[in-house]
Every structure is written in C-alpha cells, then in structure tokens.
Amino acid sequence: MLLLLIYILLDEVLVKEDFRIYEIIVAKYTSVTEDLTFVYKEISSLNTVESGYFVDVYEGKSTTIGIPETYNGKKVIGIVEGAFAKMERIDAISFPNTITKQTNIKNAFIGNYNGNCDVIETIEVYAEYTANLPKYLRQNVVNLHIYEGETIPTKAFSGSKELKNLILEEGLKTIEVQAFNSCTSLKDLVFPSSLETVKNNAFEGANATVIVFTKPSNLKTVQSAAFNSIGSCEKLYYGYKNSPDDWKSINIEKSFANLDDGFTNTSVFIPY
C-alpha cells in the first residue's frame, strides 16, 4: 500500500491570492505490493557504513517509488549499483532518512538516465543527503520536498533548471552557498520559521516573485547575493516574532538586487 502525501504551500494567516498553491504528491512506503517490490542485499559492515540492507534490485512496476526505511527489522541504508537500471521512467521517488551519507547511489539508476528519459517529477529526500544524489537526478527534478535535516549542502541543486516547486520543512536552519543557484524555473519560495542563515548566492538567478519567511521567523543572517534575482520579487512576507522591526536586527548583506536591503521603504516588504 502506498500513502500519497499532499503538501500545500499556504499559510492561512496570509491572503490566498498572493500565493501559488502547489500540490506535491510524494510516495511513502508502508508495505510491499505487487507494483512496488524490492530485492535486498544484507550488509554486515562496510567500514564507516553501519549494518543493514541495501536495495539490490527494484522489481516493481510502479513509477512512483517509496523506498522503505526498514526491511526484516533492520534499516535500509543504501542502494546497489544498477538497482533501478531496468526502469525506463520514474515519476516520483522518496529516499528515507535511513540511507547513510556515506553510501554512494551515483550508479543506482545507470541504464535509464542517460539524457533520453523523461524528467523525474518529484523527489523527496532529507537535507544532508541531497548532495549525494546523482547529478542527473538533481538536474531533472521538478518538485522537490526536503522533509528533514538542518543544512542543505553547497551547490546541492545548483543549475537545476527544471526545478519549479520547493518544499522546505521545519527544522531546516542553514541553506549553504549556491545551494539553488541558477534554478531559473523556481518562482516562489516559502521558508520555514526555523531557518536562520541563507548563505552567499544561495538563490541567485532563481527569479523569485514571492518570498515568505514563515512566522515566527528565526532568520538571523542573509549573506551577499543570496537573492540576487530579487528585482523580480513582487512580495516578500516577513513573519516577525515580536514586531516588524525584528527585520532590522537581521544581518543582511547586499543580497536583494535592485531593492533597498532593509525593505522598509518598499511596497514589496509585507510584515505579518
């Protein structure tokens, strides 16, 4: 059985017409079905990799794939080279947080992703593992759900020109240098209240038209050129903790091109 989780980017406090509403459907594994079948390979120990199971072969028919967190009472910690090589198309894939950062899945999809397949519509992954995803997955994703973790690594999705919809969950604190640089299709950005730091050039070239810092925002630092395409921004919602003046305490470098960095004198800045 697959659970389909629908995520809607909408804060009820704000005016609905000011937002595009995205419905991102991602798969979460609950039990094996005829269409979602994995063959596993047990790993007792691999130096820095803990014991558990690797996905050896995907034998399912579904193109919406939720990799399970556990099998036979142990964690699923990696994916074997060529495990998904038989697939001609993948629409959505969900990576569990049990897959360790030490495991390399670069060749797990070899055989189908050679530039001739359809774009993967949706990827669900935890923040710290995003840099481990094969470049061809990161470059082709359209809908991205980062469901857990504190830090999105440097250049994690830099140049992902197909990326349109981004969902960032509470708990995220730092977006590293050029993490979403040159994501030219990425229009609207909704940040969780837990976000503290957006580093250099993180969203440069993203062409954001709406930016939301969710209430109560913990934003502390916005580094140079973090939002260098902000000249196209129509509205920036700032969900303050105590008062709109909280914005003045944020360390903002020259980040918002063509607009006053303080935003207090523009119609774009909307505290709520």
Side-chain angles (χ1 to χ4, degrees):
M1 177 181 178
L2 281 174
L3 293 181
L4 296 182
L5 306 181
I6 300 178
Y7 297 89
I8 300 178
L9 294 188
L10 178 65
D11 190 320
E12 294 180 357
V13 175
L14 305 178
V15 182
K16 289 185 178 180
E17 54 264 29
D18 285 336
F19 293 88
R20 295 179 176 86
I21 299 175
Y22 300 131
E23 293 183 351
I24 311 301
I25 300 177
V26 292
K28 290 293 286 184
Y29 173 90
T30 54
S31 63
V32 173
T33 69
E34 292 181 359
D35 289 334
L36 191 70
T37 306
F38 299 91
V39 176
Y40 297 92
K41 180 178 181 180
E42 187 170 10
I43 304 295
S44 56
S45 65
L46 277 176
N47 296 326
T48 58
V49 180
E50 63 181 301
S51 62
Y53 283 93
F54 275 47
V55 173
D56 193 25
V57 180
Y58 175 64
E59 295 184 338
K61 298 178 181 179
S62 175
T63 57
T64 300
I65 301 169
I67 299 173
E69 296 177 358
T70 61
Y71 174 75
N72 201 25
K74 294 185 178 181
K75 293 179 181 179
V76 176
I77 59 174
I79 305 172
V80 171
E81 179 175 339
F84 293 90
K86 296 180 181 180
M87 295 293 292
E88 296 180 357
R89 173 191 177 96
I90 294 177
D91 294 316
I93 189 162
S94 175
F95 296 94
N97 62 5
T98 53
I99 293 184
T100 66
K101 289 186 287 184
Q102 291 80 14
T103 58
N104 186 349
I105 64 169
K106 180 179 179 181
N107 296 324
F109 300 84
I110 293 298
N112 58 328
Y113 286 95
N114 296 314
N116 298 318
C117 70
D118 291 337
V119 168
I120 289 185
E121 290 280 324
T122 301
I123 291 177
E124 181 182 58
V125 66
Y126 69 96
E128 284 78 8
Y129 198 76
T130 53
N132 291 52
L133 295 178
K135 184 176 181 180
Y136 47 80
L137 291 188
R138 289 183 278 124
Q139 295 299 303
N140 287 329
V141 64
V142 176
N143 308 311
L144 176 63
H145 176 209
I146 298 178
Y147 61 84
E148 184 180 294
E150 294 187 356
T151 304
I152 299 175
T154 298
K155 294 186 177 181
F157 290 89
S158 179
S160 299
K161 298 187 184 301
E162 301 293 336
L163 180 61
K164 294 181 180 179
N165 306 321
L166 176 63
I167 295 178
L168 304 172
E169 297 285 2
E170 288 295 335
L172 180 67
K173 293 183 178 180
T174 303
I175 300 175
E176 284 288 352
V177 175
Q178 295 184 354
F180 296 93
N181 181 55
S182 299
C183 293
T184 53
S185 297
L186 190 57
K187 299 298 182 184
D188 297 349
L189 300 170
V190 178
F191 297 110
S193 63
S194 57
L195 183 66
E196 296 178 356
T197 303
V198 185
K199 292 195 176 181
N200 296 329
N201 309 94
F203 290 91
E204 184 177 19
N207 296 318
T209 55
V210 175
I211 295 177
V212 182
F213 292 102
T214 303
K215 190 182 187 75
S217 177
N218 284 281
L219 189 65
K220 297 176 181 177
T221 302
V222 181
Q223 292 185 350
S224 178
F227 296 94
N228 212 28
S229 65
I230 200 69
S232 62
C233 183
E234 298 171 2
K235 290 185 170 69
L236 186 149
Y237 290 92
Y238 172 61
Y240 56 84
K241 280 186 175 180
N242 302 307
S243 76
D245 287 339
D246 291 350
W247 182 263
K248 297 177 182 179
S249 66
I250 300 172
N251 179 23
I252 299 177
E253 300 175 7
K254 287 291 182 180
S255 303
F256 302 101
N258 304 323
L259 291 174
D260 176 79
D261 282 348
F263 274 96
T264 53
N265 297 322
T266 75
S267 60
V268 172
F269 181 73
I270 305 172
Y272 74 96

